[in-house]
Amino acid sequence: MTRRPSPLLVDGVAVAMALLDVWAHWDIDEPVRMACALAAAVALLLRRPQPLLTFLLTLPAVLLSDSVFACLAALYTLASLSRPRALLVVCALAFAVSDTTSLPSPQLDLTRTPTLIALGYSSATAAAAVFLGQLVRTRRDLSLRLAEISEARDHQQLLTAQAVLAKERAQLAREMHDVVSHQVSLIAVRAGALQVGAGDPDTRQAAATIRRLSVQTLDELRHMVGVLRASSGHPTELTPQPALSDIRRLADNCGIRTELRMALPEGLPPTVQRAVYRTVQEALTNTRKHAPGATAHIDLSHADGAVRVRVTNTAPTQPPLPLPGAHHGLLGLRQRAELLGGTMTSGPTSDGGYELCVVLPAQDTR
């Protein structure tokens, strides 16, 4: 894209050309005529904010002198900035008549051939200035229209992309509902039947835990499917969001032995509370999957303006369960902690267990 010269530079060049025109027709014996010509050249500085006024100020120079460049520049500016064509026709005729007439003794005899030729020449000169100004205006209008069309096209492409994304989300939601909900519902039904028919109290308690976790999973799945099916641009809120008050229930219903020590203040930001909850949830899930029979120790503390989440588990007493996993849980926790301005460390302990530690600022720093 070519860079346009600054308007101040263009106005300076126009004034300089007008002054050069005055100098070319300078007559020391005609001070009034030269003063009008100089005033017309200086009046070009007003051609952008007041194009019609500038043309009227430069018209006397055409009547009194041979310096016509300033008036032609003003007429061109008026044509490039004004839309009414009747006004442009009147101004062009005014220039042609003024250029043909000579003051203070006007002589405009239209019956004489030289007068008609001079009037035609002046009219053609004025028409050229008007046509050039209209051409510039048309080009500017076309550029604006092309910019609007380009913006509309980009907006349409965005809408198309959003429609495709909404379709993919809806398809994913259907697949999640068809595959996951069916299996989890079947687990919940079998667990309920086992709870009713089992004679061993431990078996009934384990079946009740399985059924409760299955129902909770189905409830969370319904919320997630609702998010995926939201095709509008408005955010869909998952309610209720987990908070610190839900950690005790999470530890009691996780299916493994846990020891919880929570010493956190009231009023932590909701984002920090969710991060603490998800960290504990992921740690307990990993313990249940990879360290069956182990005991998880959950230590939640607050010191020096930071929240510290430390979850450790002892060595497993049973073989690990062959459960599927994407191995993205710890990576997600690390990204969540970094978004909140915190850190995450994890690794095995000397006694064969595992430790997960997350430190978060007590205030949301996003």
Side-chain angles (χ1 to χ4, degrees):
M1 181 180 295
T2 59
R3 184 178 180 181
R4 295 182 178 180
S6 65
L8 184 61
L9 178 61
V10 175
D11 292 343
V13 172
V15 173
M17 294 293 293
L19 291 176
L20 185 62
D21 185 32
V22 174
W23 177 77
H25 299 89
W26 184 262
D27 188 355
I28 194 64
D29 296 330
E30 300 287 344
V32 177
R33 296 174 182 267
M34 295 301 101
C36 289
L38 290 175
V42 176
L44 288 179
L45 296 175
L46 301 176
R47 68 188 188 96
R48 294 182 188 273
Q50 297 291 338
L52 181 58
L53 177 61
T54 303
F55 174 77
L56 295 178
L57 291 176
T58 58
L59 192 60
V62 181
L63 283 168
L64 298 174
S65 68
D66 295 331
S67 301
V68 298
F69 180 84
C71 191
L72 288 175
L75 184 59
Y76 157 79
T77 305
L78 181 64
S80 65
L81 297 178
S82 300
R83 192 175 295 274
R85 295 186 176 180
L87 174 64
L88 299 178
V89 172
V90 172
C91 292
L93 290 177
F95 172 85
V97 172
S98 299
D99 190 29
T100 307
T101 304
S102 177
L103 291 180
S105 56
Q107 296 179 357
L108 187 60
D109 188 1
L110 297 181
T111 60
R112 300 176 65 249
T113 302
T115 303
L116 292 177
I117 294 176
L119 182 60
Y121 176 78
S122 299
S123 300
T125 304
V130 171
F131 289 155
L132 182 59
Q134 288 285 283
L135 180 62
V136 171
R137 179 178 180 83
T138 303
R139 179 180 180 275
R140 183 167 57 247
D141 292 342
L142 288 177
S143 298
L144 293 177
R145 184 62 60 85
L146 288 175
E148 293 176 356
I149 294 175
S150 178
E151 183 179 356
R153 182 193 59 190
D154 294 341
H155 182 65
Q156 183 63 35
Q157 290 178 350
L158 178 61
L159 293 179
T160 303
Q162 290 178 350
V164 173
L165 179 60
K167 182 179 179 180
E168 293 178 352
R169 291 168 63 181
Q171 183 178 1
L172 179 59
R174 288 193 297 268
E175 293 179 356
M176 288 182 59
H177 183 271
D178 294 342
V179 177
V180 181
S181 64
H182 174 73
Q183 300 294 337
V184 177
S185 299
L186 184 60
I187 293 174
V189 171
R190 293 294 180 90
L194 180 61
Q195 180 182 1
V196 174
D200 185 14
D202 293 337
T203 303
R204 288 198 301 270
Q205 183 179 1
T209 301
I210 295 174
R211 187 174 185 276
R212 182 171 59 253
L213 293 176
S214 300
V215 173
Q216 181 180 356
T217 301
L218 286 174
D219 185 58
E220 293 181 355
L221 180 62
R222 281 196 300 269
H223 287 299
M224 184 59 65
V225 169
V227 172
L228 293 175
R229 284 179 174 174
S231 59
S232 63
H234 302 287
T236 302
E237 182 181 2
L238 289 178
T239 55
Q241 291 292 322
L244 296 180
S245 57
D246 300 317
I247 294 180
R248 173 64 66 179
R249 186 175 71 252
L250 175 65
D252 294 339
N253 299 329
C254 66
I256 60 176
R257 293 189 300 273
T258 59
E259 295 180 1
L260 174 62
R261 189 184 75 86
M262 184 165 56
L264 296 177
E266 299 289 339
L268 289 176
T271 53
V272 177
Q273 296 190 39
R274 287 196 295 269
V276 173
Y277 181 91
R278 295 305 182 191
T279 300
V280 175
Q281 184 183 45
E282 179 66 23
L284 294 180
T285 300
N286 290 339
T287 301
R288 186 170 59 248
K289 290 171 57 177
H290 304 296
T295 301
H297 302 274
I298 307 170
D299 186 7
L300 308 179
S301 60
H302 175 268
D304 299 330
V307 174
R308 182 183 178 89
V309 182
R310 183 171 178 267
V311 182
T312 60
N313 61 267
T314 60
T317 59
Q318 303 173 14
L321 299 176
L323 297 176
H327 306 288
H328 293 163
L330 294 181
L331 179 60
L333 289 182
R334 184 183 302 277
Q335 293 175 347
R336 181 191 293 267
E338 292 176 352
L339 287 175
L340 294 177
T343 59
M344 189 209 80
T345 57
S346 61
T349 59
S350 58
D351 58 354
Y354 200 84
E355 178 183 78
L356 173 65
C357 183
V358 173
V359 179
L360 302 171
Q363 299 296 327
D364 190 351
T365 59
R366 289 183 301 174

